[in-house]
């Protein structure tokens, strides 16, 4: 099981859309997927119509008052499950801040999932801020998947994330964290700007940028992204020298 934090401190860049559509496409391709909605706005949760269902949310599990395994709901899609968010998560931020292990709460919360091998990938849909919740996601994740909008200042935003990743690594909270991928979103083929932004980001981040670019209409490219994702996460059959 790999834990992927879908993160960018900017809102509206396509985090939730990427987490939900990539998760759905991977499930369709046979992968067992868990979405963890870490955003108090609960957009991923409501995209499945699961807000307020049985009062199930990440909140209690995050505070150590329940096991995450009790908080998993099925979605209408086979092999795709979700731990919903609710607005209480905004308060959890304050409560976690008072705990001694406040950076590793989410990592602890997800531990039972590692043990029982039910999922291939866990995607954490992060809130749009550099706060405690997002830091927890980075401390819990094997890698970061960062959607970047093809807009001005895309690189500036990325530089901040790279710095945060280095901080989390240096703090010892998560030494294995790496930026596993950057996905360019909302590409507009009619403007030079989109092409220029993609070229700039590729120049700085090279291989880490997914070749699949998500245009302003999503479906097909998410499936292409899912295929490329699997390719990147399948170990080579024979070890190359
Ligand atoms: N590739 C895309 N093309 C067009 N609209 C998109 C695309 N990706 C996301 N959107 C829309 O942009 C808005 C913000 O996307 P969202 O995934 O919620 O961003 P975030 O989670 O980063 O805040 C939503 O209304 C979403 O439907
Ligand atoms: Mg979102």
């Amino acid at each position: 099981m790999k834990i992927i934090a879908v993160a960018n401190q900017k809102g509206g860049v396509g985090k939730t859309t990427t987490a939900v559509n990539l998760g759905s496409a991977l499930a369709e391709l046979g992968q067992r997927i868990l979405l963890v909605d870490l955003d108090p706005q609960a957009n991923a949760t409501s995209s499945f119509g699961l807000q307020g269902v049985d009062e199930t949310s990440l909140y209690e599990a995050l505070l150590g008052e329940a096991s995450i395994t009790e908080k998993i709901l099925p979605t209408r899609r086979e092999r795709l499950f979700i731990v919903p968010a609710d607005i209480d998560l905004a308060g959890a931020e304050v409560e976690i801040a008072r705990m001694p292990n406040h950076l590793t709460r989410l990592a602890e919360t997800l531990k039972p999932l590692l043990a029982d091998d039910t999922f291939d990938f866990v995607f954490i849909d992060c809130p749009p801020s550099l706060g405690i919740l997002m830091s927890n996601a980075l401390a819990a994740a094997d890698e970061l998947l960062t959607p970047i909008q093809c807009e001005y200042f895309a690189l500036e935003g990325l530089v901040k994330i790279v710095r945060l990743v280095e901080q989390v690594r240096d703090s010892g909270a998560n030494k294995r964290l790496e930026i596993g991928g950057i996905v360019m979103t909302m590409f507009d083929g009619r403007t030079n700007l989109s092409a220029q932004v993609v070229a700039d980001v590729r120049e700085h981040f090279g291989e880490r940028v997914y070749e699949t670019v998500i245009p302003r209409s999503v479906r097909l490219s998410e499936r292409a992204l899912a295929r490329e994702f699997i390719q990147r996460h399948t170990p080579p059959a024979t070890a190359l020298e």
Side-chain angles (χ1 to χ4, degrees):
M1 184 184 91
K2 270 212 180 278
I3 302 174
I4 319 278
V6 183
N8 182 331
Q9 75 278 9
K10 265 188 83 176
V13 298
K15 288 184 293 297
T16 301
T17 305
T18 300
V20 168
N21 290 355
L22 175 60
S24 301
L26 286 167
E28 212 168 290
L29 293 173
Q31 303 291 311
R32 300 163 305 164
I33 305 295
L34 179 66
L35 297 172
V36 174
D37 193 348
L38 190 63
D39 187 349
Q41 299 288 332
N43 294 142
T45 301
S46 48
S47 78
F48 292 100
L50 291 173
Q51 64 280 21
V53 170
D54 300 334
E55 297 187 10
T56 303
S57 99
L58 178 64
Y59 176 76
E60 283 184 346
L62 194 55
L63 293 182
E65 294 164 3
S67 168
I68 188 148
T69 53
E70 299 161 25
K71 303 297 177 186
I72 298 171
L73 295 181
T75 68
R76 54 180 174 263
R77 204 176 273 276
E78 213 180 333
R79 290 181 294 275
L80 182 65
F81 295 80
I82 186 168
V83 177
D86 62 18
I87 195 68
D88 286 349
L89 274 180
E93 187 129 32
V94 181
E95 292 170 63
I96 290 171
R98 296 203 199 95
M99 298 172 135
N101 52 353
H102 64 270
L103 266 185
T104 51
R105 269 313 318 153
L106 184 62
E108 287 297 320
T109 303
L110 297 180
K111 262 192 186 155
L113 300 174
L114 281 167
D116 65 23
D117 188 37
T118 309
F119 298 104
D120 297 304
F121 294 100
V122 175
F123 288 93
I124 306 170
D125 186 23
C126 291
S129 71
L130 293 171
I132 287 217
L133 289 176
M134 172 152 159
S135 301
N136 262 268
L138 299 192
D142 294 294
E143 63 177 70
L144 200 64
L145 177 60
T146 299
I148 302 280
Q149 198 175 343
C150 297
E151 256 304 335
Y152 287 114
F153 307 122
L155 270 179
E156 279 85 344
L158 258 176
V159 168
K160 279 189 200 152
I161 296 170
V162 169
R163 219 174 286 143
L164 186 67
V165 167
E166 283 165 1
Q167 278 171 16
V168 170
R169 234 175 359 218
D170 294 346
S171 78
N174 183 357
K175 288 200 159 54
R176 70 187 189 288
L177 182 65
E178 48 181 315
I179 297 192
I182 294 166
V183 186
M184 305 302 302
T185 65
M186 302 188 213
F187 182 88
D188 185 346
R190 296 165 306 180
T191 69
N192 289 332
L193 175 64
S194 274
Q196 189 56 54
V197 170
V198 172
D200 285 351
V201 172
R202 282 200 201 286
E203 192 181 320
H204 279 79
F205 291 91
E207 289 272 287
R208 280 184 286 187
V209 185
Y210 275 84
E211 278 171 31
T212 309
V213 168
I214 310 296
R216 280 202 170 271
S217 79
V218 196
R219 265 316 147 200
L220 287 173
S221 45
E222 294 289 359
R223 193 153 174 121
L225 182 62
R227 290 191 184 283
E228 186 180 349
F229 180 94
I230 287 179
Q231 203 174 43
R232 284 174 180 241
H233 289 82
T234 307
T238 49
L240 298 171
E241 285 302 333

